Amino acid sequence: QKEVEQNSGPLSVPEGAIASLNCTYSDRGSQSFFWYRQYSGKSPELIMSIYSNGDKEDGRFTAQLNKASQYVSLLIRDSQPSDSATYLCASGTAGKLIFGQGTTLQVKP
Amino acid sequence: GAVVSQHPSRVICKSGTSVKIECRSLDFQATTMFWYRQFPKQSLMLMATSNEGSKATYEQGVEKDKFLINHASLTLSTLTVTSAHPEDSSFYICSASFSSVHSNQPQHFGDGTRLSIL
């Protein structure tokens, strides 16, 4: 069964620190990877997409992909209390997404 | 950015009622729409994938006669929960994408519908 694994957390970091979120996936055929942010009671919001090995930066966010290790990560620099949410990692194959269970991030002022 | 509208945002109704949820892509034509459900503190579980003009593809364990999906146009998909019971209470979320089986574009989510069956 195709799976995406995340540590459920919570991951607690102080304001201004770097938050590092990790994800592994089982399907070597996965071609695309996404990070979504979900606030409590809300629907997921796309933060980053990454398709090839290496780093991709967008503002305070950096996604990293290592297909050989089947590993995806998200770094959040200068973490803010408003970043406190659940972060969902998803892998895409044949037009469908498989989601991890999410990591809860708490950024403390 | 891609905007997906979902309506209604909350439904509270009696057991046995059928509930219809609409999902619209407002500023793009969605090749594919997806329906998910999410229980508290759990991740999103894909229920079905729908393509305009064709029958929906349901995930294993999802009753197609219970969860009716219609995808009448490239901008509208509906999910009807028929004869809903308390165990159907959940957060239902739709998403839309340009994806096909040959590509993997991001999915853009609606705001979700919180369904409570009394």
Side-chain angles (χ1 to χ4, degrees):
Chain A
Q1 185 167 343
K2 300 170 185 176
E3 293 182 342
V4 174
E5 300 281 347
Q6 294 180 257
N7 187 321
S8 60
L11 172 66
S12 183
V13 300
E15 183 175 355
I18 296 175
S20 178
L21 305 163
N22 305 313
C23 167
T24 59
Y25 60 95
S26 63
D27 182 11
R28 284 196 173 276
S30 296
Q31 301 164 355
S32 55
F33 304 88
F34 307 95
W35 284 99
Y36 287 86
R37 177 175 62 198
Q38 186 175 26
Y39 292 111
S40 181
K42 303 295 184 181
S43 66
E45 171 192 10
L46 179 68
I47 296 177
M48 294 282 287
S49 57
I50 187 165
Y51 300 90
S52 54
N53 281 328
D55 295 0
K56 179 181 178 182
E57 186 175 319
D58 183 0
R60 295 188 295 114
F61 300 99
T62 298
Q64 299 173 317
L65 173 60
N66 183 324
K67 290 186 178 180
S69 300
Q70 296 176 243
Y71 177 88
V72 193
S73 67
L74 179 70
L75 299 177
I76 306 175
R77 288 180 297 282
D78 188 24
S79 295
Q80 301 297 309
S82 58
D83 294 325
S84 298
T86 297
Y87 289 80
L88 300 169
C89 173
S91 68
T93 304
K96 289 202 282 190
L97 294 185
I98 298 172
F99 285 88
Q101 67 177 102
T103 299
T104 299
L105 172 66
Q106 297 174 346
V107 180
K108 298 190 174 180
Chain B
V3 178
V4 177
S5 172
Q6 186 173 342
H7 180 80
S9 58
R10 184 168 183 105
V11 179
I12 302 173
C13 57
K14 294 180 180 180
S15 184
T17 305
S18 291
V19 178
K20 187 176 183 179
I21 303 170
E22 289 190 351
C23 180
R24 294 179 185 272
S25 56
L26 297 184
D27 55 357
F28 69 104
Q29 292 187 323
T31 309
T32 310
M33 288 186 170
F34 304 85
W35 289 96
Y36 296 84
R37 64 191 294 182
Q38 186 178 35
F39 291 107
K41 299 194 183 300
Q42 294 187 21
S43 191
L44 281 74
M45 295 301 297
L46 180 64
M47 299 175 66
T49 303
S50 73
N51 294 287
E52 182 261 342
S54 62
K55 289 184 178 180
T57 302
Y58 290 82
E59 295 299 302
Q60 191 172 7
V62 178
E63 301 175 57
K64 62 180 181 180
D65 295 330
K66 173 77 171 176
F67 300 100
L68 301 178
I69 292 172
N70 183 278
H71 195 156
S73 74
L74 282 171
T75 60
L76 173 63
S77 177
T78 61
L79 167 68
T80 301
V81 183
T82 61
S83 187
H85 293 285
E87 59 266 29
D88 298 321
S89 298
S90 188
F91 191 42
Y92 291 85
I93 316 173
C94 74
S95 71
S97 172
F98 300 109
S99 284
S100 68
V101 293
H102 304 294
S103 70
N104 288 284
Q105 297 300 313
Q107 292 181 19
H108 303 278
F109 287 86
D111 289 338
T113 297
R114 192 158 303 281
L115 177 62
S116 300
I117 307 299
L118 305 177

